[in-house]
Amino acid sequence: MKRIFTSKFLKIIASIAILLGFSFTYLAFVAVVIPKNIEPSTKEGQVRVRITPGSNVSSVARQLMSQGVQTSNWHVQIVARGFFLGKQLKSGFYDFPPGANLATVLFKMGRGDSVKLNVTLVEGWTFKQFKAAIDSQVDLKKEAKSWSAGQILAKIEAKELHPEGVFFPDTYVYEPGDSDLIIYQRAYLAMMKNLNNAWEVRSSDSSIKNAYELLKLASIIEKETGHPDDRGLVAAVFNNRLKLGMKLQTDPTIIYGLGDAFDGNIRKKDLLKDGPYNTYTRYGLPPTPIAMPGKDALLAAAKPAKSKALYFVAKGNGRSVFSETLVAHNQAVQQYQLRK
């Protein structure tokens, strides 16, 4: 009799297990929780939902329902706990196609596969280009769009009074709804970190007196270098000129000084017209950086190549010819610029 009772009991348990399994399968893979007629939240036709930090299973259910998802607390509880996702659901923004089921939704949240957007700030860009790129991000909250550069610097507690060069070119990831100030803050802190690292490893014979001067020189190197392999030699030329008290005579500073008036050509009158960024008429570095230098330009400014070169001229293929004497430089100009 005992064996018969045990056999019946096991059959009942097995039946219940099978029934629960079918129930989970139905709830997880058949129940549609995002209606197909719901209005998409993104241009890709996806429905975007947001889960706030610190949410438990019940609050996740409430947030899903408040954002148009057709489900219930007990549906979410059963599926989340049945698949051991109860403590794994993560905050963030999540995109789903209309018609997505509960399993798809909760497994994605369990993986933390939230929406990640990014903005790329390019080496050699000016602050104006940098700000335009941030302002164009439709999913960023535009707190600083109408602010002046000074207001932005003050808000992120920057020590510098001029925005040029103090933001690090990189790709910055953000979530929809983040403030644009987050990008400015991250880029500023990243530049200060990279600048300080470069300053710490500078050469003992460097002509640079402080980290901000290094930033200025790095920005010029960034704009003057057509090929990565020439970066160290370009830095050497400017370092040598600064040591000897020679004018830098670099076109990118002229272009920066002209601003919106630059039409693609530098004329003789532009070289002769004095101004703070005219390194043909003034000695030393310009008053501020002229662009956002990358890590390699910063390190090149800190540790120039060992060279006595004082001149360089573009060959037309992205590389440059470096010369120690004016005679050799003029010959290179004749060969590569004037084509004689």
Side-chain angles (χ1 to χ4, degrees):
M1 293 294 292
K2 186 176 181 179
R3 290 182 179 177
I4 294 174
F5 175 78
T6 302
S7 177
K8 288 182 178 180
F9 180 74
L10 291 175
K11 287 181 180 179
I12 292 172
I13 294 298
S15 298
I16 293 174
I18 292 172
L19 181 61
L20 288 173
F22 277 119
S23 298
F24 276 124
T25 300
Y26 171 77
L27 289 171
F29 296 103
V30 179
V32 174
V33 297
I34 299 182
K36 291 186 177 181
N37 63 349
I38 192 171
E39 185 176 349
S41 311
T42 72
K43 62 181 180 181
E44 291 78 16
Q46 301 276 317
V47 176
R48 180 167 292 172
V49 298
R50 183 190 182 192
I51 304 300
T52 59
S55 298
N56 57 25
V57 177
S58 294
S59 60
V60 166
R62 289 194 297 271
Q63 290 173 71
L64 289 175
M65 289 185 286
S66 70
Q67 294 174 77
V69 177
Q70 292 183 354
T71 187
S72 66
N73 185 35
W74 73 271
H75 271 83
V76 176
Q77 291 279 357
I78 290 175
V79 177
R81 301 190 188 284
F83 286 103
F84 307 102
L85 296 172
K87 295 184 179 180
Q88 298 181 35
L89 302 180
K90 300 174 180 65
S91 62
F93 289 80
Y94 294 89
D95 285 352
F96 304 99
N101 56 56
L102 196 53
T104 298
V105 171
L106 296 184
F107 271 111
K108 197 167 189 178
M109 292 179 182
R111 294 192 304 270
D113 189 14
S114 59
V115 176
K116 294 292 188 296
L117 304 172
N118 64 76
V119 55
T120 298
L121 310 175
V122 180
E123 295 173 350
W125 270 7
T126 62
F127 175 73
K128 183 178 180 180
Q129 292 171 300
F130 169 90
K131 190 174 187 302
I134 292 179
D135 290 345
S136 69
Q137 301 298 303
V138 296
D139 290 298
L140 270 177
K141 183 180 178 182
K142 306 301 191 314
E143 290 189 66
K145 186 172 183 177
S146 62
W147 291 8
S148 67
Q151 288 175 305
I152 294 172
L153 292 174
K155 186 65 176 180
I156 64 174
E157 299 182 348
K159 297 178 181 178
E160 295 75 17
L161 300 178
H162 196 286
E164 204 64 74
V166 301
F167 298 98
F168 190 70
D170 202 351
T171 296
Y172 295 92
V173 177
Y174 64 91
E175 290 188 343
D178 280 350
S179 169
D180 51 4
L181 288 170
I182 291 177
I183 307 300
Y184 288 109
Q185 183 75 52
R186 290 176 185 168
Y188 175 74
L189 293 176
M191 179 56 83
M192 293 305 103
K193 179 180 178 180
N194 281 277
L195 177 59
N196 289 332
N197 289 343
W199 177 248
E200 289 298 322
V201 299
R202 69 191 184 281
S203 299
S204 58
D205 63 342
S206 172
S207 59
I208 300 302
K209 299 180 180 63
N210 54 58
Y212 193 60
E213 283 196 355
L214 192 152
L215 186 60
K216 295 178 190 180
L217 180 55
S219 72
I220 297 173
I221 294 168
E222 188 69 71
K223 298 297 289 184
E224 277 282 21
T225 308
H227 193 282
D229 292 343
D230 288 347
R231 199 174 277 120
L233 286 170
V234 170
V237 168
F238 292 131
N239 188 58
N240 292 338
R241 282 179 163 254
L242 288 170
K243 279 184 179 180
L244 295 173
M246 296 176 64
K247 295 171 184 174
L248 295 184
Q249 295 182 317
T250 172
D251 290 353
T253 61
I254 299 289
I255 294 170
Y256 184 81
L258 289 172
D260 293 337
F262 179 64
D263 62 3
N265 295 306
I266 298 178
R267 298 169 176 81
K268 186 176 180 179
K269 65 177 182 178
D270 299 324
L271 301 178
L272 296 176
K273 184 179 180 180
D274 186 39
Y277 291 93
N278 190 336
T279 52
Y280 283 83
T281 61
R282 298 195 181 191
Y283 291 91
L285 292 162
T288 71
I290 60 170
M292 297 190 299
K295 181 178 180 179
D296 291 338
L298 289 167
L299 290 174
K303 301 181 70 173
K306 299 295 183 182
S307 172
K308 295 181 180 179
L310 294 171
Y311 309 89
F312 64 91
V313 62
K315 294 172 64 176
N317 61 354
R319 301 301 299 269
S320 297
V321 177
F322 297 86
S323 307
E324 294 182 13
T325 67
L326 183 58
V327 172
H329 174 64
N330 287 336
Q331 290 175 347
V333 171
Q334 290 287 328
Q335 181 177 353
Y336 294 106
Q337 295 290 305
L338 301 180
R339 302 294 180 185
K340 292 183 180 179

